[in-house]
Amino acid sequence: MRRGRSFAACLALAAALLLAGCTTTRAPRVALDSVPTEQRERAGENLRIFGRVWSLVADAHYDPKFHGLDWLALGARYGPEAARAADDTALYTTLNTMLAPLKDSHTRAFSPERVQERRTQTRALTGLTLARLESRWIVSEVLSGGPAELGGVKPGWVVTARNGAPLGDFRFPPPRAGEVVRWEFLDAMDKPVALALAAKVLPTKPQPVSRVLTEGIVYLRFDAFAFRDRRWLSAQLKAHREAPGVVIDLRWNPGGSTISLGIVIGEFFDRAVECGTFITRGGRRADKSSWQLGSARYAGRVAVLVDVSTGSAAEIFSAVLQEHGRATVIGRRTAGAVLASWFHGLPGGGELQLSREDYVTPHGRRVEGAGVEPDVKVVPMLAELRAGRDVDLEAALHLLGGAK
């Protein structure tokens, strides 16, 4: 989750960082003796980036004990490997391998290429969204206009292999534009289908969705807690102020900024409510409340759809409305990824996203690593997805319609 701050707070933070820069913990020294002479210029730049990442974590990570890890030893282990990296792909793979033992949902290094993709909200994709269902990887969504849709892929197809190998834990490098990825599927009739899909640069910013369903219940899906999304949601709630109920679909929502989070929570209350507490490395606690300025003050019944893809600010939103008794949360346990993070620039144009604050809910629950458990648990089946049924939404409509 990205934190937002006032201008004065930003100045104070900048001053603190400048002071901290004078006493930054130095990364373990890495000798270049074993690096060939022709590679030393690259190795030196690699170590500048490595040192910046290691020192930022050492000085600013929200847990000064690093969850019991020996951060110095990890630096000594991965520094030489970073120095030998032949390109950005190898370097950032090493950096993230070093960061992985922190088991931190919001601490990761982004190469310059990934930074550009995030800023432009475009990326080379084959156009599939996958979900784990019945112990198999299933196509849950197909991106409109993407290579997968043009190739005839449908939601509910089972993925059996990617480039000749089973998906396993679903971790593989993203394709480059034009790169051909060979997918193997079982279609809706369980017949094998093999497709070679060339990755295409596509927009990654999804469009929000609004629909009026049975008995006037309104379905609203938005996939980020950002300025545009919060403005859209507020307008929708004001336009449907008299609706008896709304379904907020956060199943694909990875979160966003805390400012947007506080404003979005406020749309469902007629007063400011507690939103939980952020805790710094030094133990300082900052209690947060919702923002009511311009709130729709929507008063109808609310159901929130969640699953393992629901993360960060979307999880906090779900937890806060759940604890205040304002919404019924439906679906599956959320991602458990709610740490507050900042982005720090790295030499060469990369960035480090670094968790700098922990979070607990208004009732004192720690969500990081645990997630939000739904009030109504739904276990979807492959046959239902292939039949075009959305059992989470069906459960929400049953709940909201049951008040009639």
Side-chain angles (χ1 to χ4, degrees):
M1 177 171 50
R2 300 184 301 277
R3 290 299 306 273
R5 291 182 175 272
S6 67
F7 179 69
C10 288
L11 288 178
L13 177 60
L17 290 175
L18 285 173
L19 290 174
C22 299
T23 58
T24 297
T25 306
R26 296 181 67 86
R29 185 176 179 278
V30 178
L32 296 179
D33 299 345
S34 62
V35 178
T37 303
E38 65 273 15
Q39 297 177 14
R40 288 189 182 178
E41 182 176 354
R42 170 79 209 195
E45 182 64 15
N46 287 352
L47 289 178
R48 285 183 62 214
I49 298 168
F50 165 80
R52 173 73 170 155
V53 169
W54 189 93
S55 296
L56 279 167
V57 173
D59 289 337
H61 188 264
Y62 82 98
D63 181 3
K65 296 182 179 179
F66 311 109
H67 306 306
L69 295 172
D70 187 336
W71 188 238
L72 186 63
L74 281 171
R77 175 182 175 184
Y78 287 104
E81 186 176 327
R84 293 191 298 269
D87 53 31
D88 280 348
T89 299
L91 173 62
Y92 280 84
T93 297
T94 298
L95 293 174
N96 284 311
T97 301
M98 179 178 70
L99 296 170
L102 289 168
K103 293 182 169 41
D104 182 331
S105 63
H106 283 69
T107 294
R108 70 200 80 173
F110 294 89
S111 69
E113 183 179 8
R114 298 283 89 82
V115 170
Q116 181 67 11
E117 289 173 351
R118 182 167 56 81
R119 289 177 178 172
T120 61
Q121 295 188 306
T122 60
R123 191 169 191 172
L125 300 166
T126 55
L128 299 175
T129 299
L130 305 183
R132 196 70 169 168
L133 189 63
E134 297 181 8
S135 301
R136 295 186 286 181
W137 286 109
I138 310 298
V139 178
S140 60
E141 284 195 307
V142 179
L143 189 63
S144 177
E149 183 186 59
L150 298 177
V153 180
K154 303 294 183 184
W157 284 21
V158 178
V159 181
T160 57
R162 180 185 184 274
N163 288 338
L167 262 64
D169 63 0
F170 189 29
R171 293 180 182 177
F172 40 78
R176 296 185 178 276
E179 180 182 345
V180 174
V181 180
R182 291 171 175 80
W183 294 93
E184 296 174 40
F185 305 94
L186 297 177
D187 68 11
M189 304 302 293
D190 285 327
K191 294 181 179 179
V193 177
L195 292 173
L197 303 177
K200 177 182 177 182
V201 176
L202 297 168
T204 56
K205 174 61 180 175
Q207 296 299 313
V209 177
S210 174
R211 301 200 304 266
V212 178
L213 307 177
T214 180
E215 299 185 27
I217 294 169
V218 178
Y219 169 90
L220 301 173
R221 169 182 168 175
F222 60 104
D223 290 354
F225 279 73
F227 175 81
R228 188 184 78 164
D229 303 277
R230 77 176 190 242
R231 292 286 300 271
W232 174 86
L233 179 65
S234 184
Q236 291 296 320
L237 291 172
K238 289 170 182 174
H240 299 286
R241 200 186 301 271
E242 303 305 317
V246 297
V247 178
I248 306 296
D249 191 349
L250 301 181
R251 289 174 294 180
W252 296 269
N253 195 311
S257 77
T258 53
I259 289 178
S260 293
L261 171 64
I263 294 172
V264 170
I265 290 173
E267 301 286 354
F268 297 88
F269 295 90
D270 60 4
R271 68 196 186 286
V273 298
E274 295 179 3
C275 295
T277 303
F278 290 95
I279 307 167
T280 68
R281 176 187 179 99
R284 183 175 62 83
R285 301 172 68 90
D287 297 327
K288 301 298 181 182
S289 298
S290 63
W291 294 31
Q292 300 307 120
L293 184 64
S295 168
R297 291 175 166 80
Y298 177 73
R301 302 186 71 195
V302 182
V304 179
L305 307 186
V306 301
D307 66 6
V308 70
S309 299
T310 308
S312 196
E315 293 183 87
I316 295 177
F317 172 86
S318 304
V320 171
L321 266 65
Q322 184 184 60
E323 290 190 354
H324 284 291
R326 185 64 188 88
T328 301
V329 178
I330 298 171
R332 289 152 297 288
R333 183 172 64 89
T334 62
V338 299
L339 299 172
S341 63
W342 281 257
F343 284 89
H344 300 265
L346 299 175
E351 288 185 342
L352 173 69
Q353 183 182 11
L354 178 62
S355 296
R356 297 182 57 152
E357 294 180 356
D358 201 356
Y359 169 79
V360 294
T361 69
H363 288 180
R365 286 189 294 162
R366 188 168 186 269
V367 179
E368 178 70 17
V372 177
E373 290 290 346
D375 300 300
V376 178
K377 186 173 183 178
V378 179
V379 180
M381 305 299 291
L382 177 58
E384 295 165 339
L385 178 60
R386 286 179 168 177
R389 293 179 57 191
D390 185 338
V391 289
D392 296 331
L393 181 56
E394 289 175 11
L397 291 174
H398 177 75
L399 173 80
L400 298 178
K404 294 293 185 181

